[in-house]
Amino acid sequence: MEIIARATAIFFFVWIVTRSIGKRQLSELSAFQLVLLVTIGDLVQQGLTQDDRSVTGAFLAVGTIAFWVTVSSMFAYFLPRSRRVVEGLPVIVVRDGHVVDEALRMERVPVDEVLEEARREGIADLREVKLGILETDGKFSFIKESGGDSQQSSADKRISAS
């Protein structure tokens, strides 16, 4: 029972830590950060099972973590309002060609990263962007301005057709 309580506590601690680190930082790990992530995994394991090296202890720890991952994904799916707590929300970082400085500051993302991602999408100038969004997975999405017509992606067309 102690392993289940430890696994539950560590699950929520790791969830809080990853939410506080920020979307963008988690989506692009450097080699050093990857090593730190592996080290954190080892430290978590030690805190989870303490001196218990049994197969039963490992099953309990992994099962408890899997249980909480499943519960959190079910909350996000069945209770849409909980999604903002569980997964976070996308953040608008460019609106009508202008960078939203406050959003970048809150997400700790430099303007240079937004410009770099826009160039990867074939956007030379942010003035071409109607909306730039930092998604919950740390990636950027850009919706370009169009002449007079509203430009829709294929995903938007499928959603509006439903």
Side-chain angles (χ1 to χ4, degrees), residues 95-148:
R95 183 184 303 271
D96 297 324
H98 300 287
V99 173
V100 181
D101 291 320
E102 184 177 332
L104 291 180
R105 191 171 31 261
M106 287 184 67
E107 294 294 331
R108 297 182 307 275
V109 175
V111 175
D112 292 342
E113 279 191 41
V114 177
L115 293 169
E116 181 181 330
E117 290 297 323
R119 287 191 300 271
R120 284 190 182 139
E121 295 290 322
I123 300 169
D125 190 341
L126 288 182
R127 288 180 284 197
E128 301 174 37
V129 177
K130 182 176 182 178
L131 283 177
I133 303 164
L134 177 59
E135 302 292 352
T136 58
D137 64 357
K139 296 179 181 162
F140 286 96
S141 297
F142 296 96
I143 300 170
K144 293 172 73 172
E145 288 282 354
S146 60

Side-chain angles (χ1 to χ4, degrees), residues 9-25:
I10 289 175
F11 173 85
F12 286 105
F13 175 72
V14 170
W15 176 73
I16 290 168
V17 168
T18 56
R19 287 295 309 267
S20 66
I21 287 174
K23 299 178 195 96
R24 191 68 183 158
Q25 286 75 14

Side-chain angles (χ1 to χ4, degrees), residues 11-124:
F11 173 85
F12 286 105
F13 175 72
V14 170
W15 176 73
I16 290 168
V17 168
T18 56
R19 287 295 309 267
S20 66
I21 287 174
K23 299 178 195 96
R24 191 68 183 158
Q25 286 75 14
L26 287 174
S27 72
E28 291 186 356
L29 296 177
S30 68
F32 177 70
Q33 290 167 329
L34 183 61
V35 169
L36 286 179
L37 188 63
V38 171
T39 303
I40 288 171
D42 187 48
L43 294 172
V44 164
Q45 177 273 327
Q46 291 174 18
L48 251 160
T49 58
Q50 205 167 16
D51 289 331
D52 186 344
R53 299 191 192 287
S54 69
V55 173
T56 305
F59 282 177
L60 284 172
V62 170
T64 302
I65 297 292
F67 169 79
W68 285 114
V69 168
T70 303
V71 166
S72 64
S73 68
M74 287 174 63
F75 265 106
Y77 182 76
F78 290 113
L79 301 170
R81 289 183 179 172
S82 71
R83 188 171 184 191
R84 70 174 12 148
V85 174
V86 175
E87 298 175 3
L89 292 172
V91 176
I92 296 173
V93 294
V94 178
R95 183 184 303 271
D96 297 324
H98 300 287
V99 173
V100 181
D101 291 320
E102 184 177 332
L104 291 180
R105 191 171 31 261
M106 287 184 67
E107 294 294 331
R108 297 182 307 275
V109 175
V111 175
D112 292 342
E113 279 191 41
V114 177
L115 293 169
E116 181 181 330
E117 290 297 323
R119 287 191 300 271
R120 284 190 182 139
E121 295 290 322
I123 300 169

